[in-house]
Amino acid sequence: MHERSTARGVRAVALTAAALAFAAACSDSSDPQAGTSTAPTTPATTPAAPSSTPATTGPSAAPSYTKPPSRNLTRPAGVAAIPGSACSTALGDIHIFAASWAANQVKYVALGQKVPDDVWAETAQVTDNYHQGIGITRGDIKAAKVPESFPVYGDLADADAAITEAVAAAKAKDSSNVMSIYFKARTAEDHLVESCSALE
């Protein structure tokens, strides 16, 4: 039990600063442009993102992402403040997933190009692992006795759903939902930043 707690603590410490910085930057940044890679360096405990970076030219045709409006959340009555590290693993994983998806799928689709088979194959191998951080955070939030009616649970479910859709798309080599998956992941991340901040 001690070893599991230590491992979780190490993962949380490793991701906390990066995850919160990534989340804040991603929430306010513009969408990825063609020919650029926005995937951050991943920690050792996070699966490596696909690394293909093809040469592309011309402007991105991707629709702009709009950050969702604030839901004006406050910590539920009777719930003690929860440290930001409780959400760090989920925030780290959904951010790294969204950045990787932008760098390896969105940039092709935005230009009307086919995502290469090797990119799909690598994505299919690593993407499912991003569920891990979501599950860890869900467990920590439940342990803190946050009511299941609080939006953080829905935000975690939305992050899980985007990752699940990405895995299915990668296995099928299906580009039709690339942009919707990207927007779902970004929205889930922004909502999760908000709901987790309300719990602190």
Side-chain angles (χ1 to χ4, degrees), residues 60-110:
S60 172
S64 296
Y65 168 76
T66 302
K67 185 176 179 178
S70 172
R71 296 170 293 177
N72 300 311
L73 302 177
T74 57
R75 192 169 68 247
V79 175
I82 297 171
S85 59
C87 285
S88 63
T89 52
L91 286 170
D93 278 1
I94 191 60
H95 179 79
I96 295 169
F97 161 70
S100 174
W101 191 257
N104 294 288
Q105 274 75 29
V106 171
K107 71 177 177 182
Y108 289 104
V109 172

Side-chain angles (χ1 to χ4, degrees), residues 7-186:
R8 286 176 60 192
V10 170
R11 179 180 171 87
V13 169
L15 286 176
T16 297
L20 295 177
F22 290 157
C26 192
S27 295
D28 297 328
S29 64
S30 60
D31 288 314
Q33 297 297 309
T36 63
S37 175
T38 59
T41 302
T42 58
T45 56
T46 304
S51 57
S52 297
T53 52
T56 55
T57 58
S60 172
S64 296
Y65 168 76
T66 302
K67 185 176 179 178
S70 172
R71 296 170 293 177
N72 300 311
L73 302 177
T74 57
R75 192 169 68 247
V79 175
I82 297 171
S85 59
C87 285
S88 63
T89 52
L91 286 170
D93 278 1
I94 191 60
H95 179 79
I96 295 169
F97 161 70
S100 174
W101 191 257
N104 294 288
Q105 274 75 29
V106 171
K107 71 177 177 182
Y108 289 104
V109 172
L111 293 170
Q113 298 176 358
K114 180 181 177 183
V115 178
D117 287 350
D118 64 328
V119 172
W120 279 130
E122 193 169 357
T123 299
Q125 287 179 341
V126 303
T127 301
D128 200 47
N129 294 325
Y130 291 112
H131 287 295
Q132 182 180 2
I134 311 297
I136 290 171
T137 290
R138 186 179 288 109
D140 289 345
I141 297 295
K142 283 184 177 179
K145 302 191 184 313
V146 175
E148 293 192 14
S149 59
F150 192 70
V152 70
Y153 292 103
D155 301 339
L156 290 166
D158 290 344
D160 262 336
I163 293 165
T164 296
E165 288 184 32
V167 171
K171 288 179 179 177
K173 300 178 183 177
D174 179 9
S175 297
S176 64
N177 293 326
V178 161
M179 294 310 302
S180 67
I181 290 168
Y182 174 67
F183 291 141
K184 284 178 184 178
R186 288 288 304 272

